[in-house]
């Protein structure tokens, strides 16, 4: 299983990671906002994450870390 870690203090909710995810499992959180007033990105299905790093590559604020499990 792989996953992404979003540093919510840097995330500005731009949605570029959402558009970049080929699996369609990155979304903006509807139920919370960060200290800057943005809906941060979240991973909606850890089991489906392939750790392709598309989300992290597209993030202009380097708010996403991809963790690959072995």
């Amino acid at each position: 299983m792989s996953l992404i870690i979003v540093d919510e203090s840097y995330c500005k909710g731009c949605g570029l990671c959402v558009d970049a995810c080929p699996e369609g499992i990155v979304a903006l959180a509807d139920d919370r906002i960060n200290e800057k007033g943005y809906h941060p990105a979240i991973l909606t299905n850890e089991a489906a994450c392939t750790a392709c790093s598309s989300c992290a590559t597209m993030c202009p604020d380097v708010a996403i870390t991809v963790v690959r499990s072995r």
Side-chain angles (χ1 to χ4, degrees), residues 13-34:
C14 68
L16 291 175
C17 57
V18 175
D19 294 336
C21 180
E23 303 299 323
I25 56 173
V26 179
L28 297 180
D30 290 333
D31 59 345
R32 69 177 187 274
I33 57 171
N34 64 16

Side-chain angles (χ1 to χ4, degrees), residues 3-27:
L3 60 99
I4 65 169
I5 299 169
V6 179
D7 185 338
E8 293 187 8
S9 64
Y10 289 110
C11 182
K12 62 183 176 195
C14 68
L16 291 175
C17 57
V18 175
D19 294 336
C21 180
E23 303 299 323
I25 56 173
V26 179

Side-chain angles (χ1 to χ4, degrees), residues 18-56:
V18 175
D19 294 336
C21 180
E23 303 299 323
I25 56 173
V26 179
L28 297 180
D30 290 333
D31 59 345
R32 69 177 187 274
I33 57 171
N34 64 16
E35 63 271 6
K36 294 178 183 176
Y38 301 116
H39 293 276
I42 57 169
L43 182 64
T44 61
N45 184 352
E46 287 182 17
C49 182
T50 62
C52 68
S53 299
S54 293
C55 57

